[in-house]
């Protein structure tokens, strides 16, 4: 793990997105999509379930540590933390959300505009806590991590009829890209300058999608069609990043694309020290997540470090650490 010693170059890590980066905001809202119970968090500090969708830490936690800050980024809605904790890092993400507002409606989670509202509230509290000048410094020098998009396709476009009747998959990607651009411009308008936009993973290789593939009689491999969509979307995100860097004075946006390294882990798990990539650690590993992945399930694996995936949709802490380490050495390195 790349860790920078001495004074941190970035005063805070600020996070927007979905369950890939949610540190527990969903615990505080009325949705079925929660993970604040064991075995979630069994490898986190104190073996505590926090609402992170993993057995342990998630990428922003490792990225924060890599920047010489705390080894975790707390959720804004978590009552255990207050503004003194949030001054060096805060997470507004909500599991199950997406760029598209209609995606957040599927599981009654925070839409991205609401995450931004909480960010505005945070700015007010930060100014009251550290003073106007210091707050301005934190806001402009912080690194912003934006990670979402998978749910827009898997929970919304490919599952529900509405968006499919309005858009081809290519048109839907362009629609999402427009929202991503608005989001970046809005937080830029609020003072954000250093941003990392995360690309989609090989979403056709999530155990849930492999199970669906198998049930539909297509063998037990990945859903290649979904992976192609992820690659196309990431290429479009790359174009957006290029455009925004040219258009907005003083902004530095990078595309953090985990696709290739994630695919290497899935295709050759043993070279990364894993035994299993096709099914997840929790329960049968084929379709469970959230409440279906509970403490009572007798099938849950004993050592999550042997598995690429923790539940049918989310990576284990070990996978999160590898992916974060890769991003710290590549796209995020320029901010260190």
């Amino acid at each position: 793990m790349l860790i920078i010693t001495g004074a941190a170059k970035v005063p805070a890590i600020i996070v927007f997105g979905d369950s890939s980066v949610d540190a527990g905001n969903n615990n505080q809202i009325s949705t079925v999509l929660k993970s604040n119970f064991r075995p979630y968090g069994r490898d986190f500090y104190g073996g505590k379930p926090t609402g992170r969708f993993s057995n342990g830490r998630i990428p922003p936690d490792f990225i924060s540590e890599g920047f010489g800050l705390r080894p975790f980024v707390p959720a804004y809605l978590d009552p255990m933390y207050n503004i003194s904790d949030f001054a060096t890092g805060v997470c507004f993400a909500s599991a199950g959300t997406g760029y598209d507002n209609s995606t957040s409606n599927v599981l009654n989670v925070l839409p991205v505009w609401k995450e931004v509202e909480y960010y505005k509230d945070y700015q007010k509290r930060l100014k009251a806590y550290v003073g106007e000048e210091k707050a301005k410094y934190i806001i402009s020098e912080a690194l912003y991590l934006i990670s979402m998009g998978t749910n827009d396709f898997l929970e919304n476009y490919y599952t529900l009829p509405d968006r499919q009747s309005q858009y081809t998959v290519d048109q839907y990607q362009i629609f999402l890209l427009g929202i991503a651009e608005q989001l970046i411009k809005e937080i830029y308008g609020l003072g954000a300058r250093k941003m990392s936009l995360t690309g989609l993973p090989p979403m056709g290789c999530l155990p849930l999608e492999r199970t669906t593939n198998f049930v539909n009689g297509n063998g037990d491999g990945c859903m290649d069609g979904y992976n192609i969509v992820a690659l196309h979307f990431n290429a479009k995100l790359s174009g957006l990043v290029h455009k925004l860097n040219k258009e907005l004075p003083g902004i530095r946006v990078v595309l953090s694309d985990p696709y290739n390294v994630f695919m290497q882990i899935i295709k050759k798990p043993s070279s990364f020290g894993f035994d299993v990539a096709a099914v997840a650690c929790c329960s049968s590993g084929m379709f469970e997540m959230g409440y279906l992945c509970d403490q009572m399930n007798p099938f849950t694996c004993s050592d999550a470090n042997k598995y690429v995936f923790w539940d049918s949709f989310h990576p284990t802490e070990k996978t999160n650490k590898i992916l974060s380490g890769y991003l710290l050495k590549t796209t995020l390195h320029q901010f260190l």
Side-chain angles (χ1 to χ4, degrees), residues 83-227:
I83 192 65
S84 61
D85 303 296
F86 300 139
T88 53
V90 60
C91 168
F92 301 103
S94 177
T97 202
Y99 290 110
D100 184 349
N101 283 338
S102 73
T103 301
S104 61
N105 295 341
V106 177
L107 289 158
N108 194 32
V109 298
L110 302 177
V112 71
W113 64 264
K114 187 69 180 164
E115 293 188 22
V116 175
E117 288 301 304
Y118 281 125
Y119 171 59
K120 290 177 185 168
D121 181 57
Y122 163 74
Q123 286 201 354
K124 284 195 202 103
R125 290 173 65 191
L126 188 66
K127 283 170 186 163
Y129 176 65
V130 296
E132 194 86 25
E133 207 170 315
K134 179 88 187 287
K136 211 171 160 182
Y137 167 78
I138 292 169
I139 286 157
S140 65
E141 293 297 320
L143 175 61
Y144 293 78
L145 306 177
I146 300 165
S147 177
M148 65 192 113
T150 304
N151 298 316
D152 290 310
F153 294 98
L154 300 186
E155 302 291 319
N156 188 348
Y157 188 83
Y158 288 116
T159 309
L160 302 168
D162 264 21
R163 290 306 191 206
Q164 278 195 52
S165 66
Q166 294 169 291
Y167 302 104
T168 65
V169 72
D170 197 59
Q171 288 168 338
Y172 188 58
Q173 291 177 47
I174 292 161
F175 168 71
L176 296 178
L177 219 66
I179 302 167
E181 180 171 357
Q182 282 172 336
L183 168 64
I184 289 170
K185 285 183 169 169
E186 184 166 8
I187 63 171
Y188 172 83
L190 294 166
R193 290 296 177 268
K194 304 173 179 178
M195 303 179 208
S196 163
L197 196 55
T198 310
L200 295 180
M203 55 192 186
C205 294
L206 300 174
L208 182 66
E209 304 313 322
R210 285 187 169 207
T211 302
T212 309
N213 217 12
F214 186 71
V215 169
N216 292 340
N218 300 322
D220 59 0
C222 300
M223 299 260 279
D224 294 332
Y226 288 177
N227 287 345

Side-chain angles (χ1 to χ4, degrees), residues 19-89:
S19 61
S20 58
V21 291
D22 181 1
N25 287 310
N26 276 22
N27 302 350
Q28 308 304 323
I29 60 176
S30 71
T31 172
V32 294
L33 194 59
K34 294 181 196 271
S35 60
N36 55 344
F37 44 85
R38 290 192 67 140
Y40 286 96
R42 70 181 195 191
D43 301 309
F44 195 74
Y45 301 107
K48 208 171 80 158
T50 56
R52 286 169 173 80
F53 278 78
S54 188
N55 57 305
R57 289 193 284 163
I58 54 176
D61 301 324
F62 289 112
I63 290 166
S64 177
E65 183 177 35
F67 275 88
L69 298 163
R70 268 176 321 202
F72 65 94
V73 178
Y76 190 59
L77 300 183
D78 189 332
M80 276 183 58
Y81 299 98
N82 59 39
I83 192 65
S84 61
D85 303 296
F86 300 139
T88 53

Side-chain angles (χ1 to χ4, degrees), residues 205 207 210 262 265-282 284-286 301 303-311 314-316 318-319:
C205 294
R210 285 187 169 207
F262 208 158
I265 295 170
I266 290 162
K267 290 266 184 277
K268 279 210 146 143
S270 59
S271 34
F272 295 87
F274 294 104
D275 293 350
V276 187
V279 295
C281 164
C282 196
S284 72
M286 292 166 79
C301 77
D303 182 3
N305 285 337
K306 292 180 175 159
Y307 286 72
V308 175
F309 290 98
W310 166 248
D311 67 14
H314 303 102
T316 54
K318 182 175 168 182
T319 305

